[in-house]
Amino acid sequence: MYLHLGNSYVVRKRDVLAVFDLDNSSQSHLTRAFLTAAEKAGEVINVAGEELPKSFVVCKAEGAQRVYLSQLNASTLLRRSALRGIENL
């Protein structure tokens, strides 16, 4: 199964490690450091397009980590994953 992140971009649900609200989680210096390191490593993919990102999704597939910036709320992404049959995202 797949999780739609917005702007016609999908990831495999089994690759999703975590979904974070960008406003709440970016207040922590640890989260900011994580996002900065991921960006420097070229692991950040902005699927929000021209819109302001509201959440980020951390995925790991085939040993590679990716951080997707999405224009959708974290609660919307979690609800989508629950509606499509994922357990314990």
Side-chain angles (χ1 to χ4, degrees):
M1 297 297 294
Y2 294 91
L3 176 62
H4 179 256
L5 300 177
N7 286 337
S8 301
Y9 206 91
V10 295
V11 294
R12 289 185 298 190
K13 287 184 184 181
R14 67 178 179 208
D15 296 340
V16 175
L17 298 177
V19 178
F20 296 94
D21 179 84
L22 197 55
D23 288 335
N24 291 331
S25 61
S26 63
Q27 293 177 7
S28 167
H29 70 282
L30 296 174
T31 305
R32 287 193 307 270
F34 169 77
L35 290 172
T36 301
E39 189 170 8
K40 286 181 182 178
E43 299 171 342
V44 176
I45 300 168
N46 185 357
V47 298
E50 296 296 319
E51 295 185 44
L52 188 65
K54 295 179 184 172
S55 64
F56 67 97
V57 180
V58 180
C59 295
K60 188 157 191 145
E62 301 172 8
Q65 176 179 282
R66 296 284 180 251
V67 179
Y68 298 94
L69 301 177
S70 175
Q71 77 274 19
L72 302 174
N73 287 322
S75 60
T76 301
L77 292 171
L78 291 173
R79 192 170 45 248
R80 284 182 177 187
S81 66
L83 291 174
R84 304 262 197 280
I86 190 170
E87 284 85 25
N88 299 323
L89 178 64

